Amino acid sequence: MMQRLRVAVETPQYAGLARALDYACPHHLPAGTLVRVPLGQRNIPGIVWAGAPDQEAAEARPLASLKPVAEVMQALPPLPPVWCDLVDFTARYYQRAVGEVALSVLPPELRKLDNAGLDKRLRLLAKRSGWAMPEPEGSLPPRRKSAKVQSSRPGPAEPAPPPPLPTLQPEQAQVLATLADAFEQAQPPCHLLHGVTGSGKTEVYLRAAQHALDLGRQALVLVPEINLTPQLEARFAERFPGRRLVSLHSGLTPAQRLANWLTAHLGHADLVLGTRLAVFCPLPRLGLIVVDEEHDPSYKQQDGARYSARDLAVYRAWLEKVPVVLGSATPSLESWQHAQTGRYKLLTMAQRVGQGELPKVRIVDMNLQPQPAPGQPAAPLSEPLLTAVRARVERGEQSLLFLNRRGFAPVLSCTACGWKSGCPHCSAWRVFHKLDRTLRCHHCSFTERVPKACPDCGNLDIQPVGRGTERLEEQVAELLQGLERPGGGAVRVARIDADTTRLKGALEQQLAAVHDGSVDVLIGTQMVTKGHDFRRVTLVAAVNPDSALFTADFRAPERLFATLMQAAGRAGRDAAAAASSEMWIQTWSPTHPLFTALRQHDFARFAASQLQEREMAALPPFSHLALLRCEARDAAVAEGFLRQARDMAQALLTEQAADGQVTFYAPVPPHVAKVAGLERRQMLIEASTRPGLQRLLAAWMPQLPALRGQHKGLARWAMDVDPLSI
């Protein structure tokens, strides 16, 4: 007898389709089962979803008129109920279709396979890995809560002996004792680990993971960026020989990502390391979640379902009743506020391992430095900073120069008519890359060769304006020319940014050169300022941090303080050289409170002042935001859509019971108003309570697709709940 099934399929938000679609199936399928179903002219992947079929839909379409399920993916056990709960919460909170979220977080290769192809992949993986195939119909048994639970993964015949463990510092031991107690609690709290750079947070993660593994559980460790995954993976692999460790991030090939995901889903992976998408990895024996550098904005997805992996990690830990650790030297102000109010449990490590000192912070007031002659470019390094760098080179130590702008120069300009290298498709400049002589837009990727003369007036004198890492590398090499390293030889300057690490293995190769001392001065963007353990670096300098200080975004000071604190943490990580380590900052605003707090490495002071300002201005975490964004060929179309959407929402507010105040701001262009030929506009919604905002969005969002047809030329729209930048 045919039965009605709810199936979540991937449909775009603007389609306005139901949360799950109804299909017919000759037998019952448990929720979480992967299937292929017809939609239009294609068979697409879907997931059987829990819950009763929509009564109105059932009356409108009798069972006999439903399309049947095309294929059941019997080779794979169903996704666990807690995974479905996590996806369902994500879809509801971030206002996306449940199928869109559910399918988008699965490996792309999995969505392409039929049952026969999946079965073949599983057999090859099982043969290569040495574990048994899962039963076709069943699913893995639920994780027992006893401390004697054993891994379903067959261990090696002769496990390798564990490496000798480093001696714990008193603060580390205290933190680990607190976490050990959390494993025994029925509902462990969320732990915020505030540890200064070099305090040994990674060792805490390793010991906590060992505790989870001893209980027969799995550990999930999230990192903000792909370039941090290989080195952390090496640390875990060294600590846990014989344990199966897999990584999940977009840098893997589709086949690697599918194999690692299947290994985790079937319970054969003991440790999973990954970027934000790994928060959705199904783990049947999950026992611990760690979010390293929890403040990092990379945890917030910026397209599609704009979820925060950090926040979802906290929610998933609550669902699964397992400990979660958010670690950072500079926690996000939201997490810090939760810790101050008792919602999170604050764990503090204020000392570096080996009692090493934090680097001394030196502020260079650029207003007091000699200015260049008219028509001459300004030197990239002030004289005091250049002297300090030279001294490091002569002592055989390393320096790191931080400039968060890649390319040679942000813009090319004509000295005669004022022409600038703007992008014809975006309201942004095309960046000059000297190495390949191109002008490249970093927003739409439009690239052209550098013109030989000004396109407007024909003037041959086209000059670079501003400075990127490529130009800084060239200028620093010139400034250090003639200086010899200890033992002889020219100074070696290297650059690490998105341009120099595009090829596979390039980042690992360049980092290895830094670690083995082949580099004297390292120049890079923020990708080298966090997570890396550069033992030879004793000087870190922020060349031009002011560009990130004065912006319209209220989070700019928080992000800059975190970046500079993380950058400072790369210096003096070897306790023997900690006393002479320094952080230099070149700024035109030396009296800014941010630099005052940074000089004292006083995050608590900085956070208190920022939270006080935000409370006075009713900004997060003292209010709750959503941002409705849209794009259209014509700016008037985008603004008209937002104004009509605002009128619709205000009408809904009058019908709902008041739960706090909701404010709608006028539609405005973002910082970059045009990208790839599309005009962008956004409208900010501010609410005093989270339930009030969520209730409005739940009633408002289903009505927005109907507006699309009334605004011809509207390309797309999306709701961003808890936006990171406005």
Side-chain angles (χ1 to χ4, degrees), residues 223-246:
V223 294
E225 294 186 17
I226 293 173
N227 64 67
L228 298 182
T229 306
Q231 68 175 38
L232 193 63
E233 188 174 6
R235 289 283 302 272
F236 272 81
E238 179 184 7
R239 178 61 62 89
F240 301 109
R243 294 285 191 172
R244 185 167 280 123
L245 167 68
V246 299

Side-chain angles (χ1 to χ4, degrees), residues 427-708:
S427 55
W429 307 117
R430 281 181 294 165
V431 176
F432 172 42
H433 291 260
K434 186 177 181 180
L435 187 63
D436 57 3
R437 302 294 298 177
T438 60
L439 293 175
R440 192 183 312 161
C441 178
H442 290 174
H443 296 277
C444 72
S445 301
F446 178 70
T447 303
E448 282 185 335
R449 298 288 297 175
V450 174
K452 295 181 179 180
C454 173
D456 287 354
C457 71
N459 177 36
L460 297 177
D461 189 13
I462 304 177
Q463 297 292 333
V465 178
R467 182 182 295 113
T469 51
E470 189 178 346
R471 189 178 195 182
L472 180 61
E473 178 188 22
E474 180 180 285
Q475 292 177 322
V476 169
E478 292 176 357
L479 290 171
L480 299 179
Q481 194 172 11
L483 185 66
E484 287 193 0
R485 312 175 68 249
V491 177
R492 292 168 293 191
V493 180
R495 170 169 56 98
I496 295 181
D497 56 25
D499 294 324
T500 64
T501 57
R502 282 181 294 181
L503 299 179
K504 184 176 179 60
L507 176 62
E508 290 78 4
Q509 183 179 356
Q510 294 183 58
L511 289 176
V514 178
H515 288 303
D516 66 22
S518 300
V519 173
D520 300 303
V521 179
L522 175 63
I523 294 170
T525 56
Q526 64 177 356
M527 68 187 298
V528 299
T529 64
K530 50 193 174 186
H532 300 289
D533 190 13
F534 298 133
R535 310 301 294 182
R536 301 168 186 260
V537 170
T538 59
L539 182 146
V540 175
V543 176
N544 181 26
D546 290 356
S547 59
L549 187 59
F550 300 104
T551 71
D553 192 346
F554 70 93
R555 297 185 193 273
E558 176 187 1
R559 280 197 292 265
L560 179 59
F561 186 89
T563 299
L564 295 180
M565 280 279 284
Q566 293 290 331
R570 299 317 105 201
R573 297 181 75 86
D574 187 342
S580 62
S581 65
E582 294 178 337
M583 169 67 172
W584 289 68
I585 298 173
Q586 297 187 151
T587 176
W588 297 89
S589 306
T591 59
H592 195 284
L594 184 149
F595 298 127
T596 303
L598 188 69
R599 190 194 296 267
Q600 301 173 4
H601 298 279
D602 194 347
F603 172 79
R605 173 182 176 180
F606 170 77
S609 65
Q610 284 291 299
L611 286 171
Q612 184 179 19
E613 290 180 10
R614 292 197 188 179
E615 187 173 19
M616 293 173 61
L619 290 169
F622 303 101
S623 67
H624 307 279
L625 305 180
L627 202 62
L628 182 59
R629 310 174 190 264
C630 69
E631 299 176 1
R633 292 289 176 187
D634 186 351
V637 173
E639 293 176 4
F641 171 81
L642 292 178
R643 283 193 295 268
Q644 190 172 354
R646 179 186 59 192
D647 295 341
M648 180 183 292
Q650 290 175 333
L652 287 172
L653 279 177
T654 61
E655 301 172 4
Q656 293 181 353
D659 186 0
Q661 183 179 358
V662 178
T663 303
F664 293 86
Y665 291 87
V668 295
H671 175 63
V672 181
K674 182 180 179 182
V675 173
L678 291 176
E679 295 287 347
R680 307 195 300 172
R681 294 295 183 270
Q682 61 187 31
M683 181 175 66
L684 183 67
I685 304 102
E686 179 183 280
S688 58
T689 67
R690 194 184 303 275
L693 177 62
Q694 283 291 318
R695 184 156 46 250
L696 170 65
L697 295 180
W700 184 27
M701 292 298 291
Q703 299 186 21
L704 288 181
L707 296 183
R708 185 183 178 91

